[in-house]
Amino acid sequence: MESKLVLYDNYRKNNGSFTYYLEARETFNSFAFGSLCESIRHLAQTSPGNREVLLQVHHVYTDILKYFIARGSAESLSQVAGLPSRPADFLDDLDKAVIQYLETCGSEETW
């Protein structure tokens, strides 16, 4: 249940979530990021193929990608406090967690 709450907090950009820190505070909070990735990986085991979870995972994932795409220049990204030196590395971690969940979903026919 805690994993669903972490995902939901990020979906709603609630205070303390990775998406909150990123958008409201322009800060890369590595603990909150790790919690988000771990919750998605955990949900692949505890809530496989859940459509509601899938939609929230997709929403959070695209919000994060849109944030970094919109800040595409090096000058703009440098304003994000705590951002790892290689943003592609943390995006790879997020992508792997999302893929792990997606693999539990099967085809659209099962929804």
Side-chain angles (χ1 to χ4, degrees):
M1 186 61 167
E2 184 177 316
S3 294
K4 281 187 178 182
L5 292 175
V6 171
L7 177 62
Y8 185 74
D9 283 347
N10 278 277
Y11 175 76
R12 301 286 296 169
K13 297 180 178 90
N14 289 341
N15 191 352
S17 70
F18 176 72
T19 54
Y20 166 81
Y21 281 110
L22 189 62
E23 293 188 13
R25 296 210 174 162
E26 294 186 327
T27 299
F28 185 95
N29 184 300
S30 58
F31 177 78
F33 179 76
S35 294
L36 172 61
C37 290
E38 183 57 34
S39 72
I40 294 170
R41 284 191 289 271
H42 188 256
L43 287 166
Q45 298 169 358
T46 59
S47 297
N50 182 304
R51 189 169 195 271
E52 180 181 349
V53 170
L54 174 61
L55 293 173
Q56 288 181 12
V57 166
H58 176 264
H59 181 87
V60 168
Y61 184 63
T62 57
D63 273 359
I64 292 168
L65 291 177
K66 287 175 186 176
Y67 178 84
F68 284 102
I69 289 169
R71 294 179 129 327
S73 71
E75 299 82 33
S76 183
L77 285 173
S78 70
Q79 296 174 5
V80 179
L83 185 67
S85 59
R86 292 182 38 110
D89 290 344
F90 82 83
L91 287 174
D92 284 345
D93 290 343
L94 178 61
D95 191 49
K96 287 175 186 172
V98 170
I99 288 171
Q100 185 176 345
Y101 189 80
L102 291 175
E103 288 174 345
T104 72
C105 293
S107 68
E108 193 172 325
E109 296 167 6
T110 62
W111 295 357

